[in-house]
Amino acid sequence: MPSKPSTRIAEPLLGGPVGIHLGVAGRRFRSSQAYVLAAVLGVTTFLALALQGPCLSSGYEQPAASARMCAGPLSTAFVGEVNPEVLGRAHGGAAALAPLEARLAGLFHLFTNDVSLFMVVVLLLNTAGIAALGAGLLVLARHRGWLVAVFASPLILFTLGSTLDPLALALAVWATVLFFRPPPLRPRGWLAGVLLGIAAFINPLALLVLLALTLAGPNPARGLKPRNPRMMLAAATITSALLLVLDPTAIDRIIHWYSDAVDGGSFASILLMAELGDVSVWAPLWIIASGGVILAVAISLYMVRRTGLDPAAAACLLIGGCLLLAPGLMPWDSLWLLPFIALSIRRWWVLIVWTLAEAVFAIAVQLGDVSGFEADKGLDSTFVALFTLLRLLALVLVVIMAGENLYRRRIRGGTVTAGPPRRGEEPGATPADASDGADGDHHDGKRKEEHESGHDSLRTSRLD
């Protein structure tokens, strides 16, 4: 009687185990892939700059800027205008800018009133931010091919000239890199806290990235070394306190956001477009609901932390849960989900659905603003509400898939303290590398059986 099952004996004739014909990508291939991804990011950034070209030459005055898809809060506030009187849109203006954005606009007003010159500087800052974001993702994801979902995203097209969020997101991504220190970098928890403290004064969503790193630090996913978040939290607190002292208007801006919180892209804006309720009613209600979701997600992540938390998946769940019920969800807010979705969700169809939904909404909200100036030329609020609803459904799908991915890692993976790294797994693997192992690992019994039968498919089972 043979000691091996018949299926094992016949495996060479049937092609061998899954992945036996695949190999681990070499350094040259991975470097070439990184160059290709960088080129894709460069083309996307060039198209985003070209989108701002007509406004740079002829001005950012409304409604022409919205019709050309190059209007944004910074340019609108710099020329002294506000958002049009359209149902479901916030008032906007200079009072609604983030503290650091307002400081930048005020500084340029001391020298010039030329909005084109101001926007050139904004575009240069955001271009540097996008380049830093791409470099950080290449470090985190180890040159994985699905990063094209980020580097070719239409969100970059429609947000490069809107706010300073691309720069703030780059700071948040590099804070993640510095906190978990993929080799050859060294840990810099205090520097990660400083970067997140600065980013929070451009968009408070950076605080959710700080929360995700705090939860995942002591019990990270397999392949990541545990990190104590105390130094990061202390540095972020000190940085925020210093910025509050230097810019006391930040408190007034928070109060203004609370009173003018309902903006496009949210369930609250759909209710206003349907003429149901008032801003004073929906704004505090949806703010409280969004805060409740953040608290619930944070508690859930804390309860399952011992089995290992992937920081990218945790950030995706926290930001996605917050934006799902937030009173305002403009394209530059969705930009904060972009890198964490690519790091935590591996299904291409989910990335494509979400990207298309964001692109359609970004166009719809710009054309909807035109109707506030010229009703016969803009997009009707009914269609804006429809595209907003489809985009929110895509966001629900993203949150569900991120949660499912985190659950799959819980039942298949463990923390780095559970045992030594497996053969073929890098000791300093990053969040994306950890997801690779979780998605492709076999059960312990199956791995033992393959080892005893002389097959070494462990390396290749981590490949998709």
Side-chain angles (χ1 to χ4, degrees):
M1 292 292 292
S3 60
K4 299 179 181 179
S6 58
T7 54
R8 237 357 138 191
I9 298 174
E11 261 189 353
L13 301 176
L14 299 175
V18 176
I20 198 172
H21 300 293
L22 300 178
V24 178
R27 182 184 299 273
R28 181 177 298 178
F29 176 83
R30 295 170 66 182
S31 299
S32 301
Q33 190 179 61
Y35 283 124
V36 171
L37 290 172
V40 172
L41 181 62
V43 171
T44 305
T45 307
F46 173 78
L47 293 177
L49 294 173
L51 188 65
Q52 297 289 322
C55 287
L56 287 174
S57 59
S58 58
Y60 283 84
E61 287 78 13
Q62 295 284 10
S66 290
R68 294 167 180 156
M69 306 294 166
C70 49
L74 279 174
S75 59
T76 301
F78 192 85
V79 297
E81 296 181 356
V82 295
N83 293 332
E85 295 294 333
V86 179
L87 293 175
R89 288 286 275 128
H91 188 262
L97 292 178
L100 293 184
E101 293 174 343
R103 283 297 177 185
L104 180 65
L107 178 64
F108 266 84
H109 269 302
L110 297 177
F111 302 100
T112 180
N113 290 324
D114 187 358
V115 63
S116 296
L117 179 60
F118 171 70
M119 289 306 299
V120 165
V121 175
V122 171
L123 290 173
L124 290 176
L125 290 175
N126 283 342
T127 300
I130 292 296
L133 171 65
L137 283 176
L138 288 176
V139 172
L140 283 175
R142 299 286 182 179
H143 318 301
R144 302 305 185 196
W146 64 81
L147 287 183
V148 70
V150 177
F151 295 164
S153 174
L155 280 175
I156 297 176
L157 298 179
F158 296 109
T159 58
L160 194 69
S162 299
T163 62
L164 292 180
D165 281 271
L167 181 61
L169 181 58
L171 297 178
V173 169
W174 272 100
T176 305
V177 173
L178 294 173
F179 186 67
F180 284 106
R181 65 163 188 80
L185 299 177
R186 298 182 62 185
R188 291 290 186 271
W190 65 270
L191 183 55
V194 171
L195 296 181
L196 289 172
I198 296 174
F201 278 76
I202 297 177
N203 195 318
L205 291 176
L207 297 177
L208 298 182
V209 181
L210 176 66
L211 178 58
L213 296 182
T214 302
L215 292 172
N219 300 93
R222 181 175 45 222
L224 296 174
K225 293 184 178 180
R227 296 283 296 151
N228 193 326
R230 292 178 183 175
M231 185 62 70
M232 179 182 64
L233 290 173
T237 302
I238 294 174
T239 303
S240 301
L242 290 176
L243 291 176
L244 281 174
V245 171
L246 296 175
D247 185 12
T249 63
I251 303 299
D252 297 332
R253 295 184 183 281
I254 293 175
I255 296 174
H256 177 82
W257 288 345
Y258 181 82
S259 61
D260 192 31
V262 178
D263 206 352
S266 62
F267 285 111
S269 66
I270 294 177
L271 295 174
L272 288 183
M273 282 185 276
E275 300 184 7
L276 299 174
D278 187 69
V279 175
S280 60
V281 175
W282 293 125
L285 179 62
W286 289 98
I287 289 176
I288 294 173
S290 181
V293 171
I294 294 174
L295 182 61
V297 173
I299 293 175
S300 300
L301 292 174
Y302 182 79
M303 293 175 64
V304 302
R305 72 192 186 283
R306 294 191 180 277
T307 55
L309 284 179
D310 178 22
C316 186
L317 284 173
L318 287 169
I319 297 176
C322 172
L323 295 180
L324 190 60
L325 296 182
L329 178 53
M330 293 299 287
W332 45 86
D333 295 319
S334 295
L335 185 68
W336 282 82
L337 272 172
L338 188 60
F340 303 110
I341 284 179
L343 291 174
S344 58
I345 297 178
R346 302 275 303 281
R347 291 175 173 84
W348 278 103
W349 66 272
V350 176
L351 298 175
I352 292 174
V353 168
W354 183 74
T355 300
L356 291 178
E358 290 291 343
V360 170
F361 171 76
I363 296 173
V365 73
Q366 293 274 7
L367 296 181
D369 286 349
V370 176
S371 63
F373 299 99
E374 300 177 11
D376 57 334
K377 294 184 178 181
L379 187 64
D380 188 78
S381 60
T382 304
F383 291 100
V384 178
L386 176 61
F387 295 140
T388 299
L389 182 60
L390 294 176
R391 178 207 194 197
L392 288 169
L393 294 177
L395 180 58
V396 171
L397 176 65
V398 164
V399 173
I400 291 175
M401 289 300 175
E404 185 268 343
N405 192 30
L406 190 64
Y407 174 75
R408 185 173 64 249
R409 292 173 187 174
R410 280 192 61 214
I411 63 177
R412 293 186 180 180
T415 60
V416 288
T417 57
R422 298 189 309 275
R423 180 158 49 96
E425 184 174 2
E426 296 180 9
T430 54
D433 291 328
S435 67
D436 288 349
D439 288 341
D441 285 346
H442 298 287
H443 293 293
D444 293 338
K446 186 174 181 180
R447 289 200 303 266
K448 183 177 179 181
E449 181 182 351
E450 290 179 354
H451 177 71
E452 292 174 354
S453 61
H455 292 287
D456 186 16
S457 60
L458 183 57
R459 284 198 314 161
T460 55
S461 67
R462 298 178 67 243
L463 298 177
D464 284 338

